[in-house]
Amino acid sequence: MVMKKGVHPDNYRPVVFQDLNDNSTIIVRSTAPAEETITLDGVEYPLIKVHISSSSHPFYTGEERIVDVEGRVDKFKARAAAAAKAREARAAAKPKAAKKMRVDETQKLGAKTPAKKAAE
């Protein structure tokens, strides 16, 4: 059986994936583009850095920890604090409602006012 020519990629080569959490490295074949290189055991490989891999992922390690590589938690807390501050500023700027005057019996709907009594 003969394989078709030009179907498979030409840049399928060994590549090093480096986990930035624990600096572990994995060598696999890949077509992923890489800008950096690393030398392992005297051989130079393309290097791809990843934020998390099976060597540091809590599912595989059994550890429970928060991995906040890009400051997502800090960004969320900052947005929540800014929203609370804006809410307080709106509440402070909103004019307070005037107190309602006490309604006398004569002001109630359907009650006879002194002017109506005199007209009768």
Side-chain angles (χ1 to χ4, degrees), residues 26-77:
I26 302 168
I27 300 174
V28 295
R29 293 180 59 89
S30 176
T31 60
E35 296 176 4
E36 298 180 45
T37 60
I38 189 171
T39 303
L40 295 177
D41 298 329
V43 180
E44 189 172 359
Y45 297 102
L47 174 66
I48 298 175
K49 295 180 179 181
V50 293
H51 292 294
I52 196 161
S53 70
S54 61
S55 66
S56 65
H57 193 282
F59 180 80
Y60 297 106
T61 61
E63 296 177 18
E64 287 190 28
R65 60 183 166 144
I66 297 174
V67 179
D68 185 27
V69 175
E70 298 170 1
R72 292 183 192 125
V73 173
D74 295 333
K75 288 179 187 176
F76 175 79
K77 287 180 180 178

Side-chain angles (χ1 to χ4, degrees), residues 97-115:
K99 289 186 178 180
K100 292 185 178 181
M101 297 178 65
R102 189 173 156 217
V103 178
D104 291 335
E105 290 296 320
T106 57
Q107 292 176 336
K108 287 185 180 177
L109 185 63
K112 294 185 180 180
T113 60

Side-chain angles (χ1 to χ4, degrees), residues 7 9 11 22 69 74 93:
V7 174
N11 63 342
D22 60 1
V69 175
D74 295 333

